[in-house]
Amino acid sequence: MVRLGLTGGIGSGKSTIATLFEQHGAILIDADAISRQVTAAGGKAIKPIADSLGTQFITSDGALDRTLMRQASFADKAVRAKLEAIIHPLVGEESARLASEAVRTNAQCVVFDIPLLVESRTWRQRVDQVLVVDCVAEVQIQRVMARNGVTRDDVMKIIASQATRLARLRAADLVIFNAGPSLEQIALEVQQIAQRFGL
């Protein structure tokens, strides 16, 4: 089984490419989806977040207040570090469980969609190859502003908090440039990579 790490900056188009791999039969393990799951009402991260960072970060229905936490974590690196220390191990555990399930079903390829793969000290060792979805900052900014209804300044802060484009490219075994080619061209590139992994 091939373990492919998929990463890229915010707004680079990782989700589109992850979906294309799924269409070719890959098993997708989405770190962001798991993160949302553990920070939803009743999620495993809620009590540790409340204990470590304060109940003001938990909404009245018992979920993480994402807007408040995003503001606090950008303003204070210590807050972000505490949050990551809670969430990242939980994401790692659930990812490992899902990967074990994929092994039992004789899956050919598991795609781990990990936005912070390059920033992580552990994820690189868990995957066989890294596929970077490359994009230029201006395209990322426009996509995220349109998708999330946030300001340009907010998007630039997120980009600044992530690994640089150069750092991601240096970590890459494979690269798909997703700031200009048509969806048909992107789909063809994914198909060619998928075939190399037996899909």
mmCIF file of all heavy atoms in Angstrom, residues 20 22 52 58 75 81 85 95-96 127 137 179 184 190:
data_model
loop_
_atom_site.group_PDB
_atom_site.id
_atom_site.type_symbol
_atom_site.label_atom_id
_atom_site.label_comp_id
_atom_site.label_asym_id
_atom_site.label_seq_id
_atom_site.Cartn_x
_atom_site.Cartn_y
_atom_site.Cartn_z
ATOM 1 N N LEU A 20 -10.185 13.969 -6.658
ATOM 2 C CA LEU A 20 -9.803 13.276 -7.893
ATOM 3 C C LEU A 20 -9.120 11.941 -7.584
ATOM 4 O O LEU A 20 -9.375 10.931 -8.246
ATOM 5 C CB LEU A 20 -8.879 14.166 -8.736
ATOM 6 C CG LEU A 20 -9.553 15.375 -9.397
ATOM 7 C CD1 LEU A 20 -8.507 16.347 -9.944
ATOM 8 C CD2 LEU A 20 -10.493 14.930 -10.513
ATOM 9 N N GLU A 22 -9.653 10.145 -4.907
ATOM 10 C CA GLU A 22 -10.729 9.260 -4.441
ATOM 11 C C GLU A 22 -11.463 8.642 -5.625
ATOM 12 O O GLU A 22 -11.826 7.460 -5.593
ATOM 13 C CB GLU A 22 -11.721 10.041 -3.583
ATOM 14 C CG GLU A 22 -11.337 10.181 -2.129
ATOM 15 C CD GLU A 22 -12.490 10.700 -1.292
ATOM 16 O OE1 GLU A 22 -12.918 11.854 -1.518
ATOM 17 O OE2 GLU A 22 -12.965 9.958 -0.420
ATOM 18 N N SER A 52 -7.079 23.844 29.218
ATOM 19 C CA SER A 52 -5.781 24.453 28.953
ATOM 20 C C SER A 52 -5.868 25.913 28.532
ATOM 21 O O SER A 52 -5.026 26.729 28.922
ATOM 22 C CB SER A 52 -5.055 23.645 27.865
ATOM 23 O OG SER A 52 -3.834 24.233 27.510
ATOM 24 N N ILE A 58 -15.047 27.877 23.998
ATOM 25 C CA ILE A 58 -16.058 26.863 23.724
ATOM 26 C C ILE A 58 -17.415 27.559 23.587
ATOM 27 O O ILE A 58 -17.803 28.363 24.429
ATOM 28 C CB ILE A 58 -16.124 25.817 24.871
ATOM 29 C CG1 ILE A 58 -14.716 25.267 25.191
ATOM 30 C CG2 ILE A 58 -17.082 24.687 24.507
ATOM 31 C CD1 ILE A 58 -13.990 24.635 24.022
ATOM 32 N N ALA A 75 -2.767 35.947 17.171
ATOM 33 C CA ALA A 75 -2.239 37.016 18.024
ATOM 34 C C ALA A 75 -1.169 36.512 18.981
ATOM 35 O O ALA A 75 -0.281 37.274 19.391
ATOM 36 C CB ALA A 75 -3.378 37.649 18.821
ATOM 37 N N ALA A 81 0.396 27.071 19.873
ATOM 38 C CA ALA A 81 1.188 25.895 20.255
ATOM 39 C C ALA A 81 0.399 24.977 21.191
ATOM 40 O O ALA A 81 0.423 23.745 21.046
ATOM 41 C CB ALA A 81 2.491 26.326 20.910
ATOM 42 N N ALA A 85 -0.851 21.213 20.323
ATOM 43 C CA ALA A 85 -0.425 20.114 21.198
ATOM 44 C C ALA A 85 -1.600 19.237 21.617
ATOM 45 O O ALA A 85 -1.429 18.053 21.926
ATOM 46 C CB ALA A 85 0.282 20.673 22.434
ATOM 47 N N SER A 95 -6.010 9.173 12.310
ATOM 48 C CA SER A 95 -5.436 8.881 10.987
ATOM 49 C C SER A 95 -4.826 7.487 10.970
ATOM 50 O O SER A 95 -4.987 6.730 9.999
ATOM 51 C CB SER A 95 -4.369 9.925 10.635
ATOM 52 O OG SER A 95 -4.923 11.213 10.530
ATOM 53 N N ALA A 96 -4.121 7.141 12.038
ATOM 54 C CA ALA A 96 -3.504 5.808 12.127
ATOM 55 C C ALA A 96 -4.573 4.715 12.148
ATOM 56 O O ALA A 96 -4.426 3.661 11.512
ATOM 57 C CB ALA A 96 -2.622 5.718 13.369
ATOM 58 N N VAL A 127 4.581 8.818 5.729
ATOM 59 C CA VAL A 127 4.156 8.672 4.331
ATOM 60 C C VAL A 127 5.334 8.252 3.465
ATOM 61 O O VAL A 127 6.496 8.489 3.803
ATOM 62 C CB VAL A 127 3.520 9.979 3.797
ATOM 63 C CG1 VAL A 127 2.258 10.322 4.587
ATOM 64 C CG2 VAL A 127 4.498 11.137 3.833
ATOM 65 N N ALA A 137 0.653 32.939 -4.387
ATOM 66 C CA ALA A 137 -0.061 33.537 -3.255
ATOM 67 C C ALA A 137 -1.304 34.313 -3.679
ATOM 68 O O ALA A 137 -2.346 34.229 -3.020
ATOM 69 C CB ALA A 137 0.881 34.427 -2.456
ATOM 70 N N ALA A 179 -2.553 26.743 -10.308
ATOM 71 C CA ALA A 179 -2.921 28.161 -10.325
ATOM 72 C C ALA A 179 -3.201 28.652 -11.728
ATOM 73 O O ALA A 179 -3.221 29.831 -11.971
ATOM 74 C CB ALA A 179 -1.813 29.005 -9.706
ATOM 75 N N GLU A 184 -9.374 19.946 -16.358
ATOM 76 C CA GLU A 184 -9.109 18.759 -17.186
ATOM 77 C C GLU A 184 -7.623 18.405 -17.149
ATOM 78 O O GLU A 184 -7.257 17.233 -17.060
ATOM 79 C CB GLU A 184 -9.558 19.001 -18.631
ATOM 80 C CG GLU A 184 -11.059 19.076 -18.834
ATOM 81 C CD GLU A 184 -11.681 20.391 -18.376
ATOM 82 O OE1 GLU A 184 -10.924 21.363 -18.143
ATOM 83 O OE2 GLU A 184 -12.918 20.438 -18.239
ATOM 84 N N VAL A 190 -3.401 14.004 -12.170
ATOM 85 C CA VAL A 190 -3.758 13.102 -11.067
ATOM 86 C C VAL A 190 -3.885 11.674 -11.579
ATOM 87 O O VAL A 190 -3.401 10.729 -10.937
ATOM 88 C CB VAL A 190 -5.070 13.559 -10.380
ATOM 89 C CG1 VAL A 190 -5.567 12.491 -9.396
ATOM 90 C CG2 VAL A 190 -4.858 14.879 -9.657
#
